[in-house]
Amino acid sequence: TGGAEARSVHHQPFPGLYRAILDASFPRFALAGLPARPPMLVLVPPRAVAPDSSLGFMADHVAHRFGGDDVVWAYGNDGFDRAAADAWGARRADDRRPGLIFATALALATWIESLDGDDARMPLPAGTAVLETGGFKGQRRAWTPADLRAGLRRRLGVPADRVVREYGMTELTSQLYTETLMRADATADADTLARLDARFVAPHWLRARVLDPATLREMPTGAAGLLAFYDLGNVGAVSPILTQDQGVRDADGGLRLLGRAPGAMLRGCSLTAEALDAPRRA
């Protein structure tokens, strides 16, 4: 996603395996507390716009496999479609059915800023969940997780205990998630929510390691280093993937992300979303 000559490429000869991995992990982390086949609002570029995007493939499968009778894609060739997003939110206000918003952090920030500009609120039904992915990789804006959580509560009425974060990349077939929806509840205090929001866990077939950037030796628990993954889902490629992301592993195997290594190229799905929004901002 760093331009035509710098894009990561991971040929996936077994798309059925990719779908099976999503089926085995996504519902547990991202659909907890939601009714079967909930309404979904998807705020990522669809496959028609980004046909070679792994995130687009993921969102497409999730929407068709788990979505109900009101699945809306509010991202297209012109970027974020606020009218479509607002209309989906208005239907939830009418029917009181909680749904899932599948979005990049950048798209969520764009929607919140737009609502802020009009001083508009769109309280969604209790139980609505947000799946946030992509982070803030571009130069347009960078909100802290606390900023984004405050905006979701302020404009959409979605509390922090109903937001789950996903971490993945083109080179991996599997994803990591936070456990917020599984382990938090309305009585959780701010410190508990912050810990859950910052800690990513992997399914059992994906092993995460933290390595010394100079020697590539494994770092002890609690020490920062480069993240490396061994993904048994990468049947058609290589299992060990060394990243330029930094993180810390806790005693239970969870990961806390620390951002990109100094000098590393910016990467991620939010760059694609930012590129789609760029002509409208010009």
Side-chain angles (χ1 to χ4, degrees):
T1 52
E5 297 180 358
R7 295 193 68 199
S8 297
V9 176
H10 178 192
H11 295 288
Q12 178 54 267
F14 305 111
L17 174 62
Y18 196 3
R19 295 186 180 97
I21 283 174
L22 289 170
D23 290 350
S25 56
F26 188 89
R28 175 188 172 204
F29 291 102
L31 298 178
L34 285 167
R37 303 194 72 84
M40 288 189 186
L41 175 65
V42 186
L43 302 182
V44 304
R47 294 185 71 187
V49 174
D52 55 357
S53 164
S54 58
L55 180 60
F57 183 96
M58 176 184 181
D60 182 77
H61 176 72
V62 165
H64 285 91
R65 175 70 175 83
F66 302 109
D69 60 353
D70 193 359
V71 175
V72 171
W73 292 74
Y75 229 102
N77 285 308
D78 297 325
F80 172 63
D81 183 347
R82 180 180 166 184
D86 284 0
W88 183 89
R91 288 193 294 277
R92 301 291 74 76
D94 288 340
D95 63 23
R96 307 311 299 165
R97 288 192 299 159
L100 175 70
I101 300 173
F102 186 126
T104 65
L106 180 67
L108 290 171
T110 300
W111 194 11
I112 293 167
E113 284 184 342
S114 182
L115 292 168
D116 280 342
D118 293 339
D119 195 20
R121 295 186 70 255
M122 186 170 295
L124 299 174
T128 295
V130 172
L131 183 284
E132 174 212 320
T133 187
F136 293 98
K137 308 293 198 322
Q139 303 299 320
R140 180 182 172 192
R141 61 167 74 86
W143 290 21
T144 67
D147 292 336
L148 197 58
R149 301 296 168 269
L152 288 170
R153 179 181 283 278
R154 181 175 67 250
R155 295 302 171 187
L156 301 178
V158 178
D161 63 280
R162 295 300 295 164
V163 180
V164 60
R165 299 168 67 198
E166 182 262 351
Y167 172 79
M169 60 189 69
T170 297
E171 296 86 353
L172 297 177
T173 303
S174 307
Q175 300 81 31
L176 297 87
Y177 301 87
T178 60
E179 297 178 293
T180 315
L181 267 62
M182 300 165 53
R183 298 178 57 185
D185 57 44
T187 65
D189 58 35
D191 289 342
T192 298
L193 289 174
R195 286 194 297 272
L196 290 173
D197 191 59
R199 181 179 184 270
F200 289 84
V201 297
H204 64 268
W205 60 86
L206 175 64
R207 182 187 177 194
R209 302 175 69 199
V210 179
L211 307 181
D212 185 300
T215 66
L216 296 186
R217 293 176 179 171
E218 190 156 8
M219 299 293 285
T221 297
L226 295 179
L227 299 182
F229 298 98
Y230 291 75
D231 187 1
L232 295 183
N234 276 11
V235 175
V238 293
S239 291
I241 301 294
L242 177 63
T243 78
Q244 290 183 301
D245 289 344
Q246 300 180 104
V248 174
R249 187 179 61 247
D250 64 25
D252 295 327
L255 290 178
R256 181 165 55 88
L257 304 182
L258 300 177
R260 300 286 284 162
M265 180 182 294
L266 296 172
R267 300 180 62 246
C269 298
S270 281
L271 289 175
T272 302
E274 185 160 321
L276 289 171
D277 271 334
R280 188 170 52 184
R281 301 194 309 270

